[in-house]
Amino acid sequence: MRALRTPGPLARRLLLRVLAFSLCFTLLAGGVQLYLEYRREMHDIDTRLELIRSGYLASFERSLWDLNQVQLNVQLHGLVDFPDIAWASLASPDFNLIQGDIQAPGPLRVEHFPLGYQPPDGEQRALGELVVAIDLGAIYRRLWLGGLSNLLWMGLFLCGLAVALSWLFHSLVTRHLERMAEFAGRMAGGDLQRPLRLDKRIRAEDDEIDTVAHALDDMRQALGEERAELQRQVERRTDSLRRAKDEAEAANQAKTRFLATMSHEIRTPLNGILGMAELLRDAPLGELERKRLHALYKAGEGLLAVLNEVLYFARLEDGASLPEPLDFELGELLDEVLTLLEPRAAGNATQLSLHLDPAVRQRCRGAEQLLRQVLSNLVANAVKFTEGGEVRLEVSLLAEEGEAQRLRFAVVDDGIGIPEAVQARIFERFTQASEEVARRYGGSGLGLAISKRLVEAMGGCIGVQSREGEGSTFWFELELLPASAPASVVAPVPRTDRALRVLLVEDVPLNREVAEGLLKRDGHSVWLAEDAEPALRLCREQVFDLILLDMHLPGMGGVELCQAIRAQADGRNREVPILAFTASVQPALVRRYFDAGMQGVLAKPLRVDDLRRALAELHEPGAEAPADGVLDEQVLATHRELLGEHRVRELFGILRESLAQQLPMLHEALRAEDSTEAASLAHRLAGSCQSMGLRGLGDCLHALEEAALAGEPLQGWAEKIDAQRAAAEPHLQP
Ligand code: ADP
């Protein structure tokens, strides 16, 4: 029934077509029928006239011959009674009779019948004329009415038929089509679970609709299977990708570990070798030995440079951060870069020159270290690949944007040049122009890759123009800001004048000798110990001015040894400054050294200046950094010295974020009196705060952890923590 109320467009179209067809058919059939009726009527009239001619004329002639008017009138009347005869008249010399409806509106068909008489013995004589008028108008009206009513009935019948047909069509076809369309829509929307069900009786033999429905449902099943297979495939791929990613990460970590080990295993002894070589320079040596020593030093330096390059690139790959921007003199930096490379250029009979655009600002602020490294790389390459030629370092001003100057640095040489085909990938790592260049000139193929990364890290871009055999121009563009402070005189490294008694505890002989040599050269007395046992013995025997402790000793480690020295019964060295002598300078470890009772950290590889500065700070009055309730300045100063201001700010940033994230959780745990959660959160935050020297907040969190673990009530702690957090705020500002 719903179908009848809202027939679909197809059923509607069918209905309209059937109606139109019915109309045409009805009209045509009506027309044909009308025509046949008309013919029949006309034929009837002819028959009637014929009947009059054959049956009536003789009696009229006789009555006329007899001059019987009454009879004639009766006969005329009889004629008028014939159907459709409008009137009949008789005209003769004796009579003029007329019967019927003379006013009939017509049209009329008028027939004239001559009347005559032939007596048996005489000649045919004309007596008059009979005229009969047939009312065609009445016939037409009858035909019209009959045709109209036929048309009406037929129309009604055909309309009924059309409606019935379209209802049938809808119930047999279109409603199933609609269901199938809806089903196909569901499939397109991804629903492949529900099968297609038509609202129709199941018959023994499938009709066309059943065939289409089966085909559609088969399609649904096929799609469903395909999708399941695809899903399985995606899952398998995702799994293998995840595995590959895990493996890649593991490989990456292994690489980092390997490089870290390399750094420790190779760099430390190499620094030892270089340190020894430096010490030997002061020894009385013959000319030959001096030359050999120089060669040893140079080879070691070269090895260190390659090693540093590899390590540096690994650090860059791991996303090392930009160094703190510094104020610097650009002219000085350029001079230094060229001066350092002057000997190499002279060795290649190559002339170095500098062209500095006078419009370029002298005192700038930026990543001086990176700029120096990129320029050194490019000029060193230019010198390396140019024999008996000229290398020009040109710096020009491209544009001024606000305070910043956009500069173009170009290193122009007339050396061997680079084939065009290689130029596009010369900045990729481990890429060299050719096998022959690699064999002849050596190198790691990393210098340009590092330079590109550094220039990009400074927000600039780098490129090359070159022609094989004619020379190359390596250029880069970047923005430099003006210096933030006026030029100042650099303070010289402080030195202590006192000769100190130093105990050095270190298990690696090379490191021991380097440190000993450097200390002795500055006039200090040095006692050596390989591990904890001789160290403790020496401490029992005498008082030192300073103890340097390696942190990775065999057996008892440096931290425990420090505690043991402080706890010795005679207490001779209870107050003596102890420095951690180590390459492990992560904040959390540094914090542990201080907690164990050390006064500072001396980073490996050992540099003379660092050693001198540390000794001076420990032994000059007022040199020691204060430690107030809020902040442990000593720890912080050490971090700054070892890691640099930039990295320390980064670490504070990380701490600020963890506080912002976890303090609300801690407050929540305190409100809920959840001791376990509070202890765990306090523990985590306390460690981070103490590592960064936030003593007040760190200690308060630590105390809270202990109280929570002891099951004490937790009211009042939230306020204490907030107060310490507020006190630490100035140090956490970015
Ligand atoms: P390395 O010099 O250690 O091999 P680089 O990355 O610094 O690595 O240089 C990559 C290659 O680019 C060099 O091996 C050399 O083929 C080519 N190259 C770099 N600078 C120049 C230059 N100024 N002239 C000619 N070739 C150069």
Side-chain angles (χ1 to χ4, degrees), residues 245-520:
K245 182 171 158 274
D246 288 350
E247 278 165 18
E249 266 168 18
N252 211 14
Q253 275 171 1
K255 183 190 81 182
T256 314
R257 267 201 305 279
F258 170 72
L259 285 172
T261 316
M262 279 252 292
S263 127
H264 195 76
E265 297 296 322
I266 305 180
R267 238 185 357 174
T268 313
L270 189 60
N271 274 306
I273 293 170
L274 287 173
M276 291 297 281
E278 195 173 321
L279 283 177
L280 275 180
R281 280 184 185 181
D282 292 347
L285 294 176
E287 190 53 31
L288 185 64
E289 283 82 9
R290 194 159 292 286
K291 264 198 180 150
R292 286 182 180 159
L293 178 66
H294 183 69
L296 169 79
Y297 196 81
K298 281 284 149 201
E301 259 187 350
L303 181 55
L304 192 61
V306 170
L307 194 63
N308 280 340
E309 214 160 69
V310 174
L311 287 171
Y312 192 66
F313 192 72
R315 276 225 311 281
L316 282 181
E317 287 248 285
D318 281 352
S321 52
L322 264 180
E324 185 79 356
L326 293 176
D327 288 350
F328 64 96
E329 293 274 348
L330 184 62
E332 248 172 48
L333 182 136
L334 299 171
D335 272 340
E336 281 165 20
V337 168
L338 291 183
T339 309
L340 273 175
L341 289 162
E342 191 68 61
R344 273 198 229 171
N348 267 1
T350 293
Q351 200 80 38
L352 288 186
S353 60
L354 170 64
H355 298 259
L356 176 56
D357 184 344
V360 172
R361 193 186 292 124
Q362 270 299 312
R363 283 190 48 75
C364 310
R365 184 170 182 78
E368 184 249 12
Q369 244 178 302
L370 304 192
L371 183 58
R372 181 188 295 272
Q373 181 154 1
V374 176
L375 285 169
S376 304
N377 281 357
L378 298 185
V379 178
N381 275 351
V383 168
K384 182 164 144 188
F385 296 108
T386 308
E387 269 167 47
E390 197 193 340
V391 171
R392 263 192 345 266
L393 172 53
E394 301 173 348
V395 185
S396 48
L397 175 64
L398 289 180
E400 280 187 289
E401 285 147 29
E403 284 205 305
Q405 282 192 332
R406 186 161 187 82
L407 304 182
R408 179 186 161 94
F409 296 81
V411 179
V412 188
D413 69 52
D414 52 2
I416 62 170
I418 303 168
E420 204 160 331
V422 199
Q423 285 175 22
R425 43 185 190 86
I426 204 77
F427 290 98
E428 288 168 20
R429 58 183 144 162
F430 304 116
T431 305
Q432 296 182 306
S434 67
E435 287 285 320
E436 204 220 313
V437 168
R439 234 189 345 268
R440 190 158 158 221
Y441 296 94
S444 63
L446 275 176
L448 289 179
I450 290 179
S451 302
K452 182 167 160 44
R453 290 209 174 207
L454 295 183
V455 169
E456 283 168 2
M458 289 185 279
C461 54
I462 190 168
V464 63
Q465 286 133 19
S466 182
R467 213 176 252 272
E468 201 175 0
E470 291 183 17
S472 319
T473 299
F474 280 87
W475 57 266
F476 61 94
E477 294 178 8
L478 47 84
E479 278 181 8
L480 285 179
L481 288 167
S484 59
S488 65
V489 184
V490 178
V493 177
R495 286 177 75 158
T496 177
D497 295 332
R498 271 177 61 202
L500 304 174
R501 299 150 57 82
V502 181
L503 170 61
L504 172 64
V505 190
E506 162 72 67
D507 61 323
V508 181
L510 207 59
N511 290 348
R512 213 160 48 217
E513 280 184 47
V514 171
E516 184 193 11
L518 292 176
L519 283 163
K520 280 191 173 164

Side-chain angles (χ1 to χ4, degrees), residues 60 63 68-80 90 96-99:
F60 268 101
S63 304
N68 186 348
Q69 188 176 356
V70 176
Q71 183 67 17
L72 281 173
N73 269 330
V74 169
Q75 283 171 328
L76 274 182
H77 196 79
L79 271 189
V80 172
L90 184 85
N96 214 353
L97 305 176
I98 190 155
Q99 286 276 344

Side-chain angles (χ1 to χ4, degrees), residues 263-264 267-268 271 504-508 511 515 547-553 557-559 578-594 598 600-607 610-611 638-639 641-643:
S263 127
H264 195 76
R267 238 185 357 174
T268 313
N271 274 306
L504 172 64
V505 190
E506 162 72 67
D507 61 323
V508 181
N511 290 348
I547 301 177
L548 290 181
L549 273 187
D550 178 22
M551 290 295 103
H552 297 282
L553 291 171
V559 170
I578 299 182
L579 296 186
F581 180 39
T582 179
S584 311
V585 294
Q586 294 95 312
L589 292 177
V590 170
R591 175 70 235 171
R592 272 187 64 208
Y593 308 151
F594 279 100
M598 294 180 219
V601 181
L602 196 56
K604 286 180 184 174
L606 184 57
R607 287 186 300 257
D610 291 350
L611 179 63
T638 309
H639 289 336
E641 201 173 308
L642 295 173
L643 306 172

